[in-house]
Amino acid sequence: MKYMFQMVMDCGHGLEKEINKRWRTQKPIDIKEIGALFTTNVIGSCAFGLECNCFENPNNEFRVHTRKFFDGSIARALRIAVTLGFPSICRKLGVIFFPKETTKFYMDVIKNIIDYRESHDVKRNDFVQLLLNIKNGPSADGNSFTFNEIAAQAFVFFLAGFETSSSTMTFAFYEMAKHQDVQDKVREEIRRVVAKYDGKITYNGIMEMTYMGQVFDEALRKYPILATLERIVTKDYKLPDEDLVIKKGTKVLISLQGLQHDPEYFPDPEKFDPDRFSPENKDKIHSCVYMPFGEGPRICIGMRFGVMQAKIGMAIMLKDFRYLLHPESRNMKLFSKSPLLAPVGQVLLHMERVE
Ligand code: HEM
């Protein structure tokens, strides 16, 4: 994490330059787009060793393809529902989850990276290198990866890594723009910690920003990015106090949206209240009612990285600026058809410099 921190911070300098530029124009910013450009740069750099340069060129191919994947159209929603619901039939019929041109783009990018690294004997401390190490040496179970498996892993990592963190940033900023007292408290914390580390945002400093962590946790409580978890039952299970047995092999959907908005566990659930996650209160929350990163052996593999990149983005953006809701964005609506929880349209914020 410490090694990755520096790479994320390098992308953070681009973010800092960009928000200063936007502030000078005096136009509102779309936090959803700024967050996505930042996290696309981060994941491109940390996972693949690529400079995506999204701020300089917001319509570069990386961003164009990720936008396509998360477009939320009815056709896309249908395709997702059908491929997730009936995978083996879809495989036979050739119905695919991702748009063809998107798959081709990523496969080509990854093939080029692998070819280059292998022919020039280049090694880098990133995700692609980890996959290459597995490809070139037998893994614990004696198997290694094929090119397609590497490409698929890298592709999933890219998609899982950028939109989740940028959406969490969007929801946190939306709520902080609505609750200026919360925003001021986060900014005070950032400034105090940054001053302690000679005016720099450091790894230890980010870890010490505990109130910002509470805001982040509460944003993910109110807006679980993946609204449902999926599991397959491995043995017959009788529900306690119910006359119902869930049979082995049944696919179960666990609604995070339902659990995290249940007043039994989170009183007044529509209220944005970071104090639910204060050091005194946090331990009282049952781990299986708050699971924005999942739970068990399949828990999100990028959890710590996702938290780190979103917190760095938030610290950079909040340190010197205040954000206020633009009248058009006062009532954010959520996409019901997207595979991930996401706001409909732009989330516009006004910026003010804070001395
Ligand atoms: C705020 C940010 C993030 C949120 C809210 C989030 C949420 C989740 C959730 C709910 C799951 C399903 C876990 C389960 O079924 O128990 C998941 C899986 C996954 N996430 Fe994340 N994630 C985030 C960031 C990231 C990042 C940054 C990466 C990669 C760099 C990543 C990579 C993955 C992968 C590869 C899986 C599949 C793991 C498996 O099936 O074993 N995620 N994530």
Side-chain angles (χ1 to χ4, degrees):
M1 256 334 121
K2 278 194 175 163
Y3 175 79
M4 293 277 179
F5 178 82
Q6 206 36 59
M7 289 206 253
V8 181
M9 270 313 287
D10 291 344
C11 299
H13 297 314
L15 172 66
E16 193 166 13
K17 217 167 108 191
E18 182 69 16
I19 53 164
N20 276 285
K21 195 171 101 191
R22 299 280 180 113
W23 172 68
R24 281 193 291 274
T25 68
Q26 294 289 307
K27 290 191 186 136
I29 59 159
D30 175 13
I31 179 66
K32 195 169 134 186
E33 187 60 11
I34 297 269
L37 296 174
F38 169 60
T39 54
T40 303
N41 277 349
V42 170
I43 204 84
S45 163
C46 296
F48 304 103
L50 292 173
E51 278 189 26
C52 295
N53 290 329
C54 287
F55 289 124
E56 289 80 1
N57 180 9
N59 287 323
N60 76 23
E61 279 194 279
F62 273 95
R63 187 65 195 117
V64 167
H65 284 289
T66 47
R67 245 185 234 127
K68 246 185 219 164
F69 177 68
F70 292 104
D71 72 0
S73 66
I74 293 180
R76 179 96 205 92
L78 255 178
R79 196 194 325 215
I80 289 169
V82 172
T83 45
L84 291 181
F86 310 97
S88 47
I89 298 176
C90 288
R91 209 169 294 131
K92 279 184 201 133
L93 295 177
V95 178
I96 48 170
F97 191 85
F98 297 112
K100 249 192 199 133
E101 61 281 11
T102 302
T103 314
K104 181 172 175 348
F105 170 74
Y106 282 101
M107 286 298 205
D108 287 350
V109 168
I110 293 154
K111 186 172 179 346
N112 288 340
I113 298 173
I114 292 175
D115 284 352
Y116 183 84
R117 290 201 186 178
E118 294 201 320
S119 59
H120 292 77
D121 198 23
V122 173
K123 290 201 167 47
R124 212 174 168 272
N125 229 345
D126 60 13
F127 180 66
V128 167
Q129 192 60 48
L130 290 176
L131 295 175
L132 276 174
N133 295 347
I134 300 174
K135 174 177 169 277
N136 295 331
S139 64
D141 60 3
N143 296 315
S144 56
F145 275 176
T146 63
F147 166 76
N148 274 353
E149 282 164 342
I150 291 206
Q153 290 288 335
F155 186 25
V156 166
F157 218 69
F158 195 88
L159 290 177
F162 95 96
E163 178 86 2
T164 44
S165 300
S166 77
S167 297
T168 311
M169 280 173 73
T170 302
F171 292 128
F173 271 91
Y174 172 76
E175 290 292 345
M176 282 189 288
K178 271 182 129 176
H179 301 93
Q180 289 292 323
D181 53 332
V182 172
Q183 190 183 143
D184 287 344
K185 204 167 159 186
V186 177
R187 189 177 307 98
E188 274 158 30
E189 178 180 68
I190 295 168
R191 289 181 160 208
R192 182 173 37 78
V193 175
V194 166
K196 179 178 161 193
Y197 290 96
D198 296 329
K200 293 194 185 84
I201 297 178
T202 60
Y203 179 81
N204 288 341
I206 286 286
M207 297 299 134
E208 284 172 33
M209 294 177 191
T210 48
Y211 187 69
M212 191 210 275
Q214 287 175 224
V215 170
F216 185 85
D217 289 345
E218 174 66 349
L220 276 176
R221 197 263 326 151
K222 196 167 167 192
Y223 307 97
I225 307 291
L226 205 63
T228 48
L229 299 179
E230 272 188 31
R231 291 293 184 271
I232 292 176
V233 177
T234 53
K235 46 185 175 189
D236 289 0
Y237 178 74
K238 184 181 173 312
L239 287 183
D241 309 325
E242 301 277 343
D243 195 17
L244 180 68
V245 175
I246 310 180
K247 289 272 181 220
K248 180 179 169 180
T250 309
K251 197 187 246 184
V252 178
L253 294 180
I254 302 153
S255 169
L256 298 186
Q257 182 77 7
L259 283 168
Q260 297 183 183
H261 284 247
D262 188 331
E264 187 184 336
Y265 308 118
F266 299 100
D268 199 0
E270 295 317 307
K271 184 175 170 205
F272 184 79
D273 179 9
D275 287 340
R276 297 181 205 269
F277 293 91
S278 67
E280 314 81 78
N281 292 336
K282 197 171 178 166
D283 290 344
K284 293 181 208 145
I285 302 173
H286 192 290
S287 65
C288 287
V289 299
Y290 179 70
M291 301 184 282
F293 292 96
E295 189 47 80
R298 299 303 292 265
I299 195 168
C300 172
I301 200 169
M303 174 169 73
R304 290 173 61 217
F305 183 80
V307 174
M308 183 175 78
Q309 70 168 332
K311 280 175 89 177
I312 290 176
M314 282 161 71
I316 290 173
M317 290 189 65
L318 285 163
K319 191 164 62 73
D320 299 317
F321 294 102
R322 170 173 297 115
Y323 298 86
L324 302 136
L325 271 181
H326 186 276
E328 272 179 35
S329 297
R330 262 192 206 130
N331 293 311
M332 181 177 65
K333 289 202 177 66
L334 297 173
F335 243 129
S336 53
K337 299 180 207 90
S338 162
L340 300 174
L341 203 68
V344 178
Q346 299 181 316
V347 179
L348 295 174
L349 303 175
H350 281 300
M351 292 174 77
E352 279 177 2
R353 188 177 268 287
V354 183
E355 293 310 330

